Amino acid sequence: RGICIAPIVVIKGCVGIGKSSLARAIALHMDKRRFWRNSVFPNGIYFVEIEKMHSVEGVSARIFDEMKKQHNSSHDMQWLDMIPCMDSTTFQEKLSNARCLIILDGCDSVLPSLGGVLTGYLKNCKSVKFICTCRAVLPAIKEFAVRTHELGNLSKENSGRLLSDLSRSFE
């Protein structure tokens, strides 16, 4: 539930620590929950790789492209199929009523400007939530850090459960 409340969850750590695996485990955990009760994210959960991007200008286009590829009819976002491409402002307008989770993986290459882009999404798309993986602090995002002790190797399921439990403690 904590992930559903916080507009942005940042998973931060050094290279190879398992940030992407944890983000995918959270997505899988959240997606499984949709079958047992009303979905937290009825318009879908989308994994968007932005690690190799060189500028923040293309982030919205990458999100749009990945949402087009990954959505299905149960997500009630058929407008994605009808539009070949979209500018950032129009895309945010279309997403304004959507309830979805967007995982931005590998944010470091666009880090200096990404905070501003996400702030625009948060202002215009109140029910869209983000999980970002990176190795440093996201500029322009108010951050509350949770330090954890070394946990050893966790399964993907236990990783998702741990983050969910931690985020619930901040409600």
Side-chain angles (χ1 to χ4, degrees), residues 46-113:
Y46 303 93
F47 192 87
V48 181
E49 174 66 54
I50 62 171
E51 186 171 12
K52 294 180 178 44
M53 296 188 73
H54 300 294
S55 74
V56 77
E57 284 76 32
V59 170
S60 286
R62 176 73 55 89
I63 292 170
F64 176 72
D65 289 343
E66 287 302 319
M67 288 179 81
K68 280 184 73 130
K69 289 179 196 171
Q70 298 174 31
H71 93 283
N72 64 47
S73 59
S74 68
H75 293 157
D76 192 30
M77 294 187 32
Q78 285 75 22
W79 56 266
L80 285 166
D81 290 327
M82 298 176 210
I83 304 168
C85 63
M86 189 177 295
D87 65 84
S88 179
T89 304
T90 306
F91 183 48
Q92 288 181 23
E93 288 171 7
K94 287 285 193 181
L95 281 179
S96 64
N97 295 318
R99 286 180 37 215
C100 61
L101 173 64
I102 300 171
I103 298 169
L104 298 177
D105 187 43
C107 296
D108 298 289
S109 62
V110 294
L111 204 54
S113 305

Side-chain angles (χ1 to χ4, degrees), residues 11-169:
I11 301 173
K12 185 171 66 173
C14 60
V15 175
I17 198 84
K19 300 176 297 290
S20 299
S21 296
L22 179 58
R24 287 180 189 272
I26 292 166
L28 182 62
H29 177 75
M30 299 301 282
D31 196 46
K32 281 182 184 178
R33 292 178 60 187
R34 101 162 64 179
F35 296 109
W36 294 321
R37 59 186 103 126
N38 289 340
S39 178
V40 176
F41 300 112
N43 300 120
I45 298 171
Y46 303 93
F47 192 87
V48 181
E49 174 66 54
I50 62 171
E51 186 171 12
K52 294 180 178 44
M53 296 188 73
H54 300 294
S55 74
V56 77
E57 284 76 32
V59 170
S60 286
R62 176 73 55 89
I63 292 170
F64 176 72
D65 289 343
E66 287 302 319
M67 288 179 81
K68 280 184 73 130
K69 289 179 196 171
Q70 298 174 31
H71 93 283
N72 64 47
S73 59
S74 68
H75 293 157
D76 192 30
M77 294 187 32
Q78 285 75 22
W79 56 266
L80 285 166
D81 290 327
M82 298 176 210
I83 304 168
C85 63
M86 189 177 295
D87 65 84
S88 179
T89 304
T90 306
F91 183 48
Q92 288 181 23
E93 288 171 7
K94 287 285 193 181
L95 281 179
S96 64
N97 295 318
R99 286 180 37 215
C100 61
L101 173 64
I102 300 171
I103 298 169
L104 298 177
D105 187 43
C107 296
D108 298 289
S109 62
V110 294
L111 204 54
S113 305
L114 186 60
V117 170
L118 292 177
T119 300
Y121 274 95
L122 297 178
K123 178 180 167 189
N124 299 312
C125 312
K126 304 262 187 251
S127 296
V128 174
K129 308 298 180 183
F130 291 90
I131 295 177
C132 301
T133 67
C134 59
R135 295 184 297 261
V137 175
L138 272 174
I141 301 295
K142 186 177 178 183
E143 187 174 279
F144 181 80
V146 177
R147 303 260 185 246
T148 60
H149 302 284
E150 179 147 347
L151 302 172
N153 292 330
L154 292 177
S155 69
K156 288 182 180 181
E157 184 178 334
N158 286 338
S159 297
R161 194 174 298 131
L162 173 64
L163 185 63
S164 181
D165 291 346
L166 281 172
S167 63
R168 211 174 295 127
S169 67

